[in-house]
Amino acid sequence: MLGDRTLRLQHGNRIEALCVLGTHISADVYGAAPAGAVSFGVKHTEGVSVEVACRGQAEVGSAPGSRMQWPLDEGTVLRISMSRASTEVNDNKVTVSFYAEGGQPINQAGVFLTGIGISLDVDADRDGVVEKNNPNKASWTWGPEGHGAILLVSCDKESPFTPASDCDEETVFSKEDLLDMSRMVLRTKGPQRLPQGYEIVLYIPVSDADKVGVFYAQNPFFGQRYIHVLGRRKLYHTVQYTGGAAELDFFVEGLCFPDDTFSGLVSIHVSLLETLAEGIPHTPIFTDTVVFRVAPWIMTPNTLAPVNVFVCSMKDNYLFIKEIKNLVDKAGCELKACFGYINRGDRWMQDEIEFGYTHGPHKSFPVALDSPRDGGLEQFPIKELLGPDFGYVTREPLFEAITSLDSFGNLEVSPPVTVAGKEYPLGRILIGSSFPTAAGRRMTRVVRDFLYAQQVQAPVELYSDWLSVGHVDEFVTFVPTSDAKRFRMLMASPAACYKLFREKQKEGQGEATMFKGYLGTDTKRVTINKVLSNDNLVQQNQYVQRCIDWNRDVLKKELGLTEEDIVDLPALFKLDKQGKAIPYFPNMVTMIILAKDLGIPKPFGPVMGGECCLERQTRSLLEPLGLRCCFLEEVASYHGRLGEVRCGTNVQRQPFAFKWWHVTP
């Protein structure tokens, strides 16, 4: 914080003062004048610049050794500055001479000055270099022309011997820890020692103490070590002044992601303190400030390239894993199985975690967001994912009850979109919730607040409580395409299914049988004619279609989509005893998307000419978009338990190339 500092001169005395380069010292000449004085003159050494301001008039410079005199008027001040650092204490001075009527000298006031350079510096222009005294270092702005330094949350774990992530530790175990942190440099320049009574202190506000940690690189005789100097239990640190031109390296880490009570901005200050005498408290005479924004947690949409596919190995899904392995190999990514000793009988991989990442100018790494559902997979993200350059974050409510809507099948993100001229280059998060006018299930507030607080993927709340499981991935998903739009939104559509079935009935295929080879419990013969003549089922699906259409309208508005951007996949639902919808046959929308390769739940629709008409219809909709459809049999493993392919798998994807700080929220 550069600015004026007030110094009180005393006639008959010469005081000592430090002058920080780039700042001004304002000295009240009128208040320091002896009785009878009517004018004054100023002399100073070459290392000092002095300007005289009389009655608010434009400032006039004073040359070294000048014999010029000014009238002594109330409000007359000197503005003193230094442009280069001192090599010795008190090596510059300013002398003010006071004169009576007729030019008779009366007395003098003087100040011995020591020039010192102090600059707390960060990478304010986000180019990976800590530049000196960037004028924008104390503020933070969004957008391509924005400025301000960035912090990563050290939510990974570099050492296998610590039980928690690095942000819970106040120790640097290796230099790899430092690679997650942002460099901050304290640059000083001046004499070999500070004058007695001065010290330099680095500090953080109490409100930031649990959000930022700072380490200092120390160089003892036997190797370098890193000392924790600021953080949860340390609000200030006295800096050792080394003399001459020096650069002290500090490393800064974020301790938590933005949240409803934390905007993401943190500040760090360095102050030059002065004391008049032993036993008298210090007062600050100069402060420099830097501001960081903690990088957000960012979700990855289906349109980004897959890296790893995770699936739980269960006693009943061996064939499914074999099929998914073939799909993963075709897509060029890697399959990672989670075995029984970790999954403890919990097969719902998508519900437990959401893969995302965090990103700064110097580094990026994946971060798993752990849902509050905590089933058998509770320990999976901590034991199997958390590690070097793989972070972990969770939000759990203190008092709210956990519902199915807190599982992360109920968390989706769109591809990048533009809505009424406003760009969302990282897409928009989609959350399933209850109907706005009715009481019902909602995702727990701590998770919703966390998602909103990241700012870069403005969430949209949809209506999913009409479903028994209540997840958005049961009626909407996104697939990549190679045309100008770059993606399509797929929606479950009972209307599309009834239209297809009526067409087949008109073609004389009304007795075509569904569920051939189906391993579910219901083995009754079901034909197209029976489905179309079931008035109760028709009414239930009219209700479901209205629920989906309500979401369709919201999505078109909030994502800037047209009907041409939407593909309706045939789907049917039925209502359970609580009036909530469950799939009538495996729901094809709840698929796994691996670039151009789609792992779609096998629907077991009416078979005609040896081919399922639902599969044929889906291929005709998706394959012209450059997509490859692979239908996976998952009835016993997932559908029979009210889940589908996506529910039992999870995909870690490549991060966006786009820099989140270029967003304008």
Side-chain angles (χ1 to χ4, degrees), residues 405-423:
L405 271 67
D406 293 309
S407 298
F408 284 165
N410 194 35
L411 183 59
E412 181 66 271
V413 63
S414 79
V417 292
T418 300
V419 185
K422 180 171 176 55
E423 295 183 353

Side-chain angles (χ1 to χ4, degrees), residues 321-511:
I321 289 182
K322 191 174 180 181
E323 283 190 287
I324 207 83
K325 177 72 165 65
N326 292 335
L327 182 70
V328 167
D329 288 345
K330 193 184 300 182
C333 47
E334 187 174 346
L335 182 68
K336 293 181 179 286
C338 173
F339 295 100
Y341 70 95
I342 290 292
N343 68 51
R344 296 183 298 169
D346 185 356
R347 69 187 64 223
W348 306 116
M349 181 63 76
Q350 178 60 48
D351 288 344
E352 183 61 34
I353 57 171
E354 186 66 50
F355 284 106
Y357 69 97
T358 190
H359 173 46
H362 59 293
K363 190 171 183 180
S364 171
F365 59 84
V367 179
L369 175 63
D370 191 4
S371 79
R373 72 182 278 270
D374 289 343
L377 281 163
E378 179 181 4
Q379 293 299 311
F380 165 71
I382 297 173
K383 291 188 175 180
E384 297 295 307
L385 299 178
L386 178 61
D389 291 341
F390 207 120
Y392 169 84
V393 62
T394 189
R395 288 293 182 272
E396 296 192 5
L398 292 176
F399 305 111
E400 284 183 87
I402 303 301
T403 72
S404 173
L405 271 67
D406 293 309
S407 298
F408 284 165
N410 194 35
L411 183 59
E412 181 66 271
V413 63
S414 79
V417 292
T418 300
V419 185
K422 180 171 176 55
E423 295 183 353
Y424 296 90
L426 300 173
R428 299 191 70 177
I429 287 172
L430 307 180
I431 305 168
S433 191
S434 55
F435 194 71
T437 60
R441 297 171 296 173
R442 294 188 78 189
M443 181 178 284
T444 188
R445 182 172 179 175
V446 291
V447 177
R448 282 187 288 118
D449 286 347
F450 173 82
L451 297 171
Y452 277 94
Q454 306 314 304
Q455 297 193 64
V456 295
Q457 295 177 303
V460 177
E461 291 199 39
L462 300 174
Y463 172 38
S464 66
D465 191 35
W466 55 274
L467 288 152
S468 175
V469 176
H471 293 178
V472 291
D473 68 357
E474 296 178 78
F475 62 85
V476 64
T477 193
F478 301 88
V479 293
T481 61
S482 53
D483 57 9
K485 186 66 181 181
R486 310 301 297 172
F487 73 91
R488 293 290 188 278
M489 182 171 75
L490 310 186
M491 297 201 79
S493 176
C497 189
Y498 275 105
K499 180 183 178 183
L500 176 65
F501 281 9
R502 290 190 187 102
E503 288 175 355
K504 298 304 175 186
Q505 187 183 53
K506 286 181 180 179
E507 294 172 5
Q509 301 288 346
E511 289 302 306

Side-chain angles (χ1 to χ4, degrees), residues 118 120 186 200-203 268-272 286-288:
I118 301 177
L120 188 61
L186 177 60
I200 299 173
V201 172
L202 199 68
Y203 63 97
I268 301 176
H269 313 275
V270 64
S271 282
L272 179 62
F286 168 79
T287 298
D288 203 12

Side-chain angles (χ1 to χ4, degrees), residues 41-263:
V42 180
K43 294 182 180 181
H44 56 86
T45 52
E46 288 188 1
V48 181
S49 296
V50 178
E51 296 171 336
V52 180
C54 303
R55 291 186 174 182
Q57 297 292 322
E59 295 162 354
V60 182
S62 167
S66 171
R67 297 191 177 187
M68 186 175 177
Q69 293 185 19
W70 289 269
L72 188 62
D73 296 320
E74 187 173 358
T76 302
V77 297
L78 301 183
R79 281 172 50 84
I80 303 168
S81 62
M82 297 183 67
S83 59
R84 62 175 183 264
S86 296
T87 55
E88 296 180 6
V89 172
N90 296 333
D91 63 355
N92 282 276
K93 65 180 180 179
V94 175
T95 302
V96 180
S97 300
F98 297 99
Y99 302 94
E101 288 283 356
Q104 185 70 26
I106 302 177
N107 210 333
Q108 290 184 330
V111 55
F112 285 105
L113 293 169
T114 303
I116 181 171
I118 301 177
S119 178
L120 188 61
D121 295 321
V122 292
D123 179 17
D125 57 5
R126 307 164 184 165
D127 63 354
V129 177
V130 179
E131 59 276 358
K132 185 175 181 180
N133 225 5
N134 187 302
N136 296 317
K137 65 185 180 181
S139 60
W140 210 97
T141 58
W142 295 90
E145 305 302 319
H147 60 260
I150 292 168
L151 278 185
L152 295 180
V153 177
S154 293
C155 56
D156 63 341
K157 187 173 78 166
E158 301 294 347
S159 172
F161 306 109
T162 57
S165 60
D166 290 342
C167 60
D168 296 320
E169 296 291 330
E170 294 182 352
T171 305
V172 172
F173 289 97
S174 67
K175 287 190 176 181
E176 283 69 29
D177 273 346
L178 300 179
L179 298 178
D180 297 345
M181 302 184 194
S182 296
R183 186 167 167 252
M184 179 175 72
V185 179
L186 177 60
R187 294 182 168 103
T188 58
K189 190 173 184 181
Q192 291 305 305
R193 62 175 181 83
L194 289 177
Q196 188 172 356
Y198 290 91
E199 64 179 32
I200 299 173
V201 172
L202 199 68
Y203 63 97
I204 53 176
V206 175
S207 59
D208 290 349
D210 60 344
K211 302 173 181 68
V212 65
V214 180
F215 293 84
Y216 170 54
Q218 201 174 57
N219 289 285
F221 293 110
F222 301 103
Q224 196 170 55
R225 61 192 185 118
Y226 302 91
I227 311 300
H228 183 255
V229 294
L230 294 176
R232 291 187 176 97
R233 295 178 295 174
K234 299 176 182 177
L235 294 179
Y236 71 94
H237 168 69
T238 302
V239 177
Q240 184 177 356
Y241 177 78
T242 56
E247 292 190 357
L248 303 181
D249 280 340
F250 295 88
F251 295 89
V252 188
E253 65 176 353
L255 300 182
C256 61
F257 285 97
D259 220 323
D260 63 322
T261 58
F262 172 42
S263 69

